[in-house]
Amino acid sequence: MDILSNVSKAWADENNFFRKKAKELLLDITSFSSEMIDEGLNRISSICSPDRLLKKIDVELGGVNFLNDGEIVSDEIENIQSRIKARPRGVVLLIDSGNLFFELIDSWVSGIITKNVNILKIDFYLLPFVNLFLESIKEFDLSDI
């Protein structure tokens, strides 16, 4: 979450290297207007926002505890307690339609936070953009230190 929070802040900043480079790149490889690209880049910032991610985890999985330690639930009728834990599917294949560059990022980030291995199938022309997004994640990944 900390890494994605930093990525979110970086992509929100119009002066950030990654965002500026992405806009320049997307203007060259897509037919989107500058304003449309700005909206997409703002969406990427939102996708990586911890507030949004935690809300998504709450709605879709029942809470962050289900991802980490599991949650103890009780069946009051049977008087039984058990621990429920969300488990990754393992490997997730993401096939991008190629028409909305930020939707791929949304699916990819969902795969990351659910601890899945992500395989991306994307249009070749989007590869430089995806690599740039990956570089921004690596920039804030402090696990190598």
Side-chain angles (χ1 to χ4, degrees):
M1 271 309 170
D2 291 339
I3 293 167
L4 290 172
S5 175
N6 289 330
V7 169
S8 174
K9 291 173 192 167
W11 285 81
D13 179 2
E14 292 182 8
N15 294 314
N16 180 274
F17 167 79
F18 293 110
R19 181 175 172 129
K20 285 170 67 173
K21 186 74 175 167
K23 184 171 181 176
E24 179 182 303
L25 185 66
L26 290 166
L27 282 169
D28 286 342
I29 63 175
T30 70
S31 59
F32 295 140
S33 67
S34 179
E35 294 81 13
M36 179 68 170
I37 290 172
D38 283 335
E39 285 298 317
L41 296 175
N42 289 337
R43 179 86 169 111
I44 288 172
S45 174
S46 173
I47 288 166
C48 297
S49 160
D51 291 341
R52 180 187 177 274
L53 291 174
L54 289 172
K55 187 179 291 184
K56 185 174 182 151
I57 290 169
D58 280 342
V59 169
E60 294 179 9
L61 298 176
V64 73
N65 288 341
F66 284 104
L67 279 176
N68 297 329
D69 303 321
E71 186 78 19
I72 295 176
V73 294
S74 297
D75 183 340
E76 293 180 18
I77 295 172
E78 299 288 331
N79 203 17
I80 298 173
Q81 283 192 339
S82 58
R83 183 176 298 273
I84 297 176
K85 183 173 181 177
R87 296 186 187 257
R89 304 284 301 169
V91 178
V92 178
L93 173 63
L94 305 170
I95 301 175
D96 182 47
S97 62
N99 58 347
L100 293 174
F101 60 90
F102 57 85
E103 288 301 324
L104 171 67
I105 302 301
D106 194 14
S107 297
W108 194 6
V109 168
S110 292
I112 291 170
I113 64 170
T114 55
K115 303 173 185 176
N116 284 289
V117 173
N118 291 272
I119 298 173
L120 306 175
K121 166 87 171 73
I122 59 171
D123 283 331
F124 183 75
Y125 79 94
L126 278 178
L127 188 58
F129 168 73
V130 170
N131 285 337
L132 188 63
F133 183 75
L134 181 59
E135 285 297 319
S136 74
I137 291 176
K138 286 172 53 179
E139 175 81 17
F140 297 107
D141 185 355
L142 304 177
S143 63
D144 292 337
I145 296 176

